[in-house]
Amino acid sequence: MLLIPAIDIKNNNCVRLEKGNIKKFYIFSKNPTLVINKWINYNIKRFHLIDLDGAIAGRPKNLLSIKSIINYTNNKVELQIGGGIRDLETIDYYFDLGVNYVILGTKAILDLKFLENVSFKNEYKIILAIDLKNFKIAINGWKNYYKLNLYEFFKKVNDFPIESIIYTDIKRDGTLKGLDVDMFLKVSKNIDKPAIISGGLSNYKDIEKIFSLQKKNLLGIICGKSIYSGKINIYKNIKKVNYFNKYYIS
């Protein structure tokens, strides 16, 4: 199971939102590359990069910071990137830059055929983002909600060669209120793909709780405000971080 730090980028700054509100954010660093530099030597295996402005615009908007991160990490860690990726050209562009995984949300949800085509073209390199609020799927940078039979959707998606599915609880995102384990169990039992949980992580007890479930398809947990605020201290708790980062449930 992986602990995956989130690097949310807005105006080329590293920020954190609360409950997906693009207008309510806090700047943690004006240089996202320096943020990764702090963690790259602590056995972190993968980073979660999100172009927040791109998610709203529907196209990449923070390429200065993204390119800097890719060049700096230089294949030392895995990078998964999302935010405004809604056409094949952008997907190819990011893979050419050197990212390991591309995260698709809005376009994949609205156009299942597109998801099928790109996943078979890039086998096990596409990640599907499912962002939920009151069991409704958020799209267009969490500005709109799409009514969809989630379980029927998963049945179709399970046949595609995608790398994993990220489930985000929008109501808890950036709140430090703890992971909604019960909701994750409801969602994950319908997913045959590796699953990544996001939204509300508060401390190591959260990690240990979901880790204890021994879900075979649990790939990792995205860490955001919990590490920026020091609730999870990578420096002081490096042994714990290394333990979870090197342990894969199979």
Side-chain angles (χ1 to χ4, degrees):
M1 187 178 75
L2 296 171
L3 293 183
I4 309 172
I7 309 292
D8 290 350
I9 305 172
K10 180 175 174 57
N11 297 326
N12 286 300
N13 297 316
C14 180
V15 308
R16 291 303 298 161
L17 306 183
E18 184 172 324
K19 297 182 181 180
N21 189 341
I22 194 68
K23 296 181 179 179
K24 191 174 183 180
F25 63 92
Y26 182 83
I27 297 175
F28 282 96
S29 174
K30 293 186 176 181
N31 190 334
T33 304
L34 290 182
V35 176
I36 284 188
N37 179 60
K38 293 178 181 179
W39 297 326
I40 202 167
N41 295 319
Y42 290 86
N43 206 36
I44 296 297
K45 302 293 188 182
R46 186 187 294 195
F47 288 90
H48 179 75
L49 310 181
I50 297 296
D51 183 345
L52 293 175
D53 299 306
I56 299 297
R59 63 186 187 278
K61 298 290 287 184
N62 287 283
L63 287 175
L64 179 65
S65 292
I66 291 168
K67 287 180 179 178
S68 176
I69 289 171
I70 293 170
N71 290 334
Y72 175 76
T73 55
N74 193 29
N75 296 316
K76 296 176 184 176
V77 294
E78 292 183 333
L79 299 175
Q80 59 186 51
I81 188 164
I85 304 174
R86 295 173 192 170
D87 55 58
L88 185 58
E89 290 75 19
T90 304
I91 294 172
D92 290 340
Y93 177 76
Y94 275 131
F95 283 137
D96 288 342
L97 281 181
V99 302
N100 302 92
Y101 308 102
V102 165
I103 303 167
L104 299 180
T106 299
K107 179 63 176 179
I109 290 164
L110 297 179
D111 188 347
L112 200 59
K113 189 64 178 179
F114 174 79
L115 175 61
E116 180 180 15
N117 290 339
V118 298
S119 62
F120 276 97
K121 180 184 177 183
N122 304 281
E123 292 191 359
Y124 304 106
K125 296 176 70 176
I126 300 295
I127 296 174
L128 175 62
I130 299 294
D131 305 326
L132 293 181
K133 184 176 183 180
N134 299 326
F135 240 69
K136 293 181 180 179
I137 297 180
I139 57 175
N140 298 321
W142 294 359
K143 292 191 301 180
N144 308 111
Y145 292 90
Y146 185 67
K147 292 183 179 180
L148 182 72
N149 186 315
L150 199 58
Y151 302 121
E152 290 298 320
F153 180 76
F154 283 143
K155 285 181 182 178
K156 298 176 182 178
V157 169
N158 283 332
D159 292 331
F160 301 163
I162 59 177
E163 194 267 349
S164 58
I165 294 177
I166 298 175
Y167 158 66
T168 299
D169 186 338
I170 296 175
K171 291 194 299 183
R172 291 175 181 250
D173 190 65
T175 65
L176 297 175
K177 290 184 177 179
L179 300 171
D180 189 338
V181 176
D182 292 336
M183 181 61 74
F184 175 71
L185 284 173
K186 290 180 182 178
V187 174
S188 65
K189 72 179 182 180
N190 293 280
I191 301 173
D192 290 337
K193 304 297 182 184
I196 298 172
I197 185 172
S198 174
L201 179 65
S202 177
N203 50 45
Y204 277 106
K205 289 183 179 179
D206 278 343
I207 298 174
E208 290 166 350
K209 185 177 181 180
I210 200 162
F211 182 79
S212 68
L213 298 175
Q214 291 291 303
K215 291 287 292 181
K216 290 185 177 181
N217 64 333
L218 178 61
L219 175 62
I221 304 173
I222 293 176
C223 314
K225 195 172 183 179
S226 57
I227 53 175
Y228 289 104
S229 65
K231 294 290 184 178
I232 292 179
N233 192 312
I234 292 178
Y235 315 107
K236 291 183 179 180
N237 298 283
I238 186 60
K239 289 184 179 180
K240 288 184 178 180
V241 172
N242 285 346
Y243 173 73
F244 286 113
N245 265 320
K246 70 182 180 181
Y247 190 96
Y248 289 82
I249 299 174
S250 59

